[in-house]
Amino acid sequence: MKIRVVPDLCCGAQRCVAVAPDVYRLADGYNVLVGQPDWEVPAGLEPQALRGARACPESAIKIIEDGS
Ligand code: SF4
C-alpha cells in the first residue's frame, strides 16, 4: 500500500497526524508527504494509514493499493 497526499487539497487540518501519528508527520503544519513521490506504508501500519486518510477533511490522502 502506498500513500499520496495531493498538494492542492492539504489545508493543514492536521487530523491525519492526530489519529495516525506513526504514519503521518507535519512540516510547517502540512503533511510532509505533500509533493513527495508515492510513499510505501511500512508493514503493519496499513490500518493506521487508512484511519488517517479517512480522517482528512479534505480527502487529501489517497491510498494506492498494491497492484492498482
Ligand atoms: S493531509 Fe488532510 S488531515 Fe493531514 S494535514 Fe493535510 S488536510 Fe490536514
Side-chain angles (χ1 to χ4, degrees), residues 5 9-16 26 29-31 56-58 60-61:
V5 180
L9 293 181
C10 180
C11 67
Q14 304 181 13
R15 292 297 304 150
C16 52
L26 299 176
Y30 294 87
N31 194 307
C56 177
E58 304 297 329
I61 300 172

Side-chain angles (χ1 to χ4, degrees), residues 1-5 20-25 31-46 48-50 61-66:
M1 173 195 287
K2 291 184 179 178
I3 286 172
R4 180 183 307 157
V5 180
D22 297 329
V23 174
Y24 300 104
R25 301 255 186 279
N31 194 307
V32 297
L33 295 175
V34 167
Q36 298 298 311
D38 295 349
W39 181 69
E40 184 79 41
V41 176
L45 288 179
E46 292 92 344
Q48 200 175 137
L50 279 171
I61 300 172
K62 306 300 180 190
I63 300 291
I64 302 154
E65 301 287 352
D66 292 335

